Structure formats: structure tokens, C-alpha cells
Amino acid sequence: MSQAAKIPATVITGFLGAGKTSTIQHLLKTAGGKRIALIINEFGDLGVDSDIVKGCGIEGCNDDDVLELANGCICCTVADDFIPTIEKLLNRETPPDHIIIETSGLALPKPLVKAFNWPEIRTRVTVDGVITLVDGRAVADGLFATNPEAIAQQREADENLDHESPLEELFEEQLACADMVVVNKLDLLNEGDMDTVLAAIRKEIRPEVKIVKISHGEINASVLLGLEAAAEDDLESRPSHHDDGHEHDHDDFESFAVELGEIANPEVFIDKLLPIVAEHDILRVKGFAAVADKDMRLVIQGVGSRFQHYFDQEWSEGIERRSRLVIIGDHDMDEAAIRAAIAA
């Protein structure tokens, strides 16, 4: 079967908080009537991203077209979760025109692209492109940079140690597999910052990969879709730290959900979270909150010390009014202390 006869799929990857969900929402608004199905994979036990998309109110974005994979990182559950989900979409009476796959912020894109060579789906769907979202402000702040002095000290103590940061490795993996890189949060950068960000990105991407700069996830579907990369046929040009057969280890990271009652004031609540995030080096906070005397659900999204919050939809019948946050951080973060601090 020719590539033209296959259903195109776009993989949207990127680190925690890069803006993948906002980008997908804008993509749906500008899809021009295409029937788009979404597969959303999250790290953690609360489906925040899928609930945000389902609650977006965009015409043509039906709940049945948003499928969630919450049983683990998508690159590690290909056979058990991803392949059956793709088959389910392909076997619909009216298949989608395009499939969008949002990976978790901790996923390796290459194993997912490899999955499109499985016999069950190879003749029916193709990877139109891998889009890597980058949090421009985070990169400009050196979030993925390694401390040379600390490395030197560790090498002196034990020359057999692997000194590469797991976060830096993920960043490199996501860029190396990209067909297009989208630098988000342009509004938070100045000219000097952008030079730093572009230099960090260009070290990891292939020469032909285009870099697009945006703010607030606002990019037209016509830019992201229709790349016709057939990435599953181009795996050799997409190097990975794990090409030697070593498994991708998610033990570097941990997540847990915190249940809360109603909050009185969003700004005061976030001010309370900031020192907790700093003290425990929390990577990501995301979830929903019920605000006293408000009929709308509050979305909370935090990347390091940067938080945003907004009301997205009314608490209605079938949506339980409650506050829940997912906390994502290194595997050795003190869960008990974090829970106690948030609940205090």
C-alpha cells in the first residue's frame, strides 16, 4: 500500500510542561474539518491532559475521539496498550483522517515510531511526523545543562559512574527523533535567550529539521500536519541512547496524586506550592481544583517555579467536584513530606 493510502499519524513529544496539550487544542481549532483522533499518554495516575482536551468545547472534538493510555509510559507498553488502541481506531466504521499521539513528558519517541512497523498496522498507518515541543524558557534557564564541576568531582570519586542526567538524556532523545521542533513560550524569551535555546537544539537535531517559534501553543494545524516524513522507514537517521538494546528506565522518576478539599483562593494556593516545589525539586505539578464559591473547575499547571491556572469548564453532573494534583519528580523525592506540606 502506498503512503498516500495510509492514515497519517503525528507524534507530539516534549518534556514535562513544554505545552503539548495547549498545542493540541490549537491544532484542533485549526484542523479545517478533519476527523482527528487523539491518543494521550500520561505519566501518573490522573488523566489531566485528556480531561483538559475533552473539556475544551471545540467543535468536532468528541469525547469518543480522545483515547487515554494511563497504564505506563507509551514507549514501554507498545504491545499491551498502543497497538490495540491504534487497531481500535483503524477498525472503526469511519476511521479518522489523522491520528495525533501525545506522549508523556518522560517517553522516548523512537520506540513508539518503531511500533508503526508492527505487521498489524504497518500497511494501514504511517508516521506523518514527530513534533518535539521545547519549553524555551526552561532551556534558556539551563534546565538540561550538566554541572561540569560536579561531574569532575563524581569522576574523581568513582570513574565508573554514569554522569549523564536522565533529564538531559530525554531532551536529547526527543530532539534526535524530531521531524520538526517547536520552541514554545517565545513570549518569555529575549533575543539573547533565543540564541542559547537554538544552540542547544541544533546540537541534537538533523540538519534538515525545521525549528518553529511560538507562544502559548498557538500554531496552525497546516504547519504541523502533512509533513509526510514516513518516520517508521527512517529510523537509522534518528539515533538513540538506547539503540544498544538497554531498556529505558523510568525508575529515575516517580509520580503520585494528592487529594485535597476545596481551595479558597487560587493565587494563595499557588503561593503555598512554590516553596514546596523549590524545597523538594519537584519537576511538574498538574491537576484540577475545586474553588470555594466557584462553579467552574480550576486547571493548575506547574513547571518548576512557573505556574499557570485557569477555569476551563463548569462542574456538571458526571464530573466529581474535587481537588487532585499529580506531583512528578525524581525517584527519591520525599512523598510523605510533600503530601504533608501540601495538606498543611
Side-chain angles (χ1 to χ4, degrees):
M1 181 181 291
S2 68
Q3 296 291 348
K6 297 179 182 181
I7 294 175
T10 295
V11 176
I12 297 183
T13 187
F15 196 65
L16 300 161
K20 298 187 296 295
T21 303
S22 298
T23 300
I24 287 173
Q25 285 182 297
H26 197 76
L27 184 156
L28 293 172
K29 291 176 183 177
T30 59
K34 285 182 181 288
R35 295 190 308 274
I36 293 182
L38 302 174
I39 298 175
I40 296 179
N41 175 228
E42 300 202 58
F43 186 82
D45 50 6
L46 175 62
V48 175
D49 293 349
S50 58
D51 278 359
I52 291 173
V53 174
K54 287 179 180 178
C56 66
I58 298 170
E59 185 178 356
C61 176
N62 302 311
D63 286 0
D64 289 345
D65 293 325
V66 182
L67 306 179
E68 182 182 355
L69 297 181
N71 295 328
C73 184
I74 195 171
C75 66
C76 300
T77 60
V78 164
D80 293 335
D81 291 322
F82 176 65
I83 298 298
T85 300
I86 284 284
E87 288 187 294
K88 180 180 178 181
L89 289 175
L90 298 177
N91 292 334
R92 285 184 173 182
E93 184 175 344
T94 304
D97 296 323
H98 205 112
I99 300 170
I100 306 294
I101 303 155
E102 178 193 346
T103 74
S104 81
L106 302 176
L108 300 174
K110 188 169 181 177
L112 179 58
V113 175
K114 283 183 179 178
F116 284 84
N117 282 314
W118 282 51
E120 295 93 330
I121 63 173
R122 177 167 176 76
T123 61
R124 306 172 67 189
V125 63
T126 181
V127 182
D128 181 67
V130 177
I131 309 295
T132 297
L133 265 287
V134 170
D135 181 335
R137 183 67 262 164
V139 175
D141 289 340
L143 184 61
F144 308 110
T146 323
N147 185 328
E149 292 181 2
I151 290 175
Q153 292 171 1
Q154 290 175 4
R155 281 179 174 160
E156 288 177 6
D158 184 351
E159 63 182 15
N160 294 316
L161 285 176
D162 178 3
H163 303 301
E164 188 164 36
S165 162
L167 301 184
E168 186 173 16
E169 182 177 300
L170 280 168
F171 182 64
E172 293 167 357
E173 293 273 344
Q174 292 168 353
L175 289 173
C177 199
D179 294 294
M180 177 181 289
V181 175
V182 178
V183 178
N184 195 18
K185 308 184 184 180
L186 182 63
D187 54 307
L188 302 180
L189 300 175
N190 59 41
E191 187 174 344
D193 289 333
M194 183 55 70
D195 291 341
T196 300
V197 173
L198 294 179
I201 291 171
R202 286 180 174 136
K203 285 196 307 181
E204 309 299 337
I205 63 175
R206 291 165 288 149
E208 67 272 18
V209 172
K210 300 297 183 185
I211 301 174
V212 181
K213 307 163 195 172
I214 64 170
S215 298
H216 310 295
E218 295 181 355
I219 185 169
N220 198 288
S222 63
V223 177
L224 298 180
L225 308 185
L227 301 185
E228 299 183 356
E232 71 275 14
D233 295 331
D234 185 35
L235 292 169
E236 291 302 317
S237 73
R238 301 163 195 260
S240 167
H241 292 277
H242 304 275
D243 285 337
D244 57 4
H246 291 169
E247 292 295 325
H248 174 38
D249 186 3
H250 288 291
D251 291 342
D252 292 323
F253 308 99
E254 183 179 319
S255 73
F256 59 89
V258 178
E259 299 242 11
L260 304 161
E262 286 189 342
I263 67 172
N265 182 292
E267 286 77 16
V268 171
F269 182 67
I270 288 173
D271 285 344
K272 172 185 173 180
L273 291 176
L274 287 172
I276 301 172
V277 167
E279 179 181 353
H280 296 279
D281 201 20
I282 294 169
L283 299 174
R284 189 82 163 89
V285 177
K286 60 181 180 177
F288 305 108
V291 180
D293 302 323
K294 296 291 184 181
D295 294 329
M296 300 285 286
R297 183 177 71 176
L298 184 74
V299 178
I300 297 175
Q301 300 268 21
V303 183
S305 62
R306 289 184 289 112
F307 275 78
Q308 62 171 320
H309 63 280
Y310 57 89
F311 293 100
D312 73 327
Q313 63 175 299
E314 290 188 357
W315 294 105
S316 58
E317 186 178 354
I319 301 179
E320 184 180 355
R321 185 182 174 91
R322 62 178 179 176
S323 301
R324 292 190 78 201
L325 296 178
V326 166
I327 310 297
I328 302 176
D330 290 333
H331 70 93
D332 57 353
M333 65 179 169
D334 191 338
E335 178 178 341
I338 295 169
R339 285 184 180 278
I342 293 175

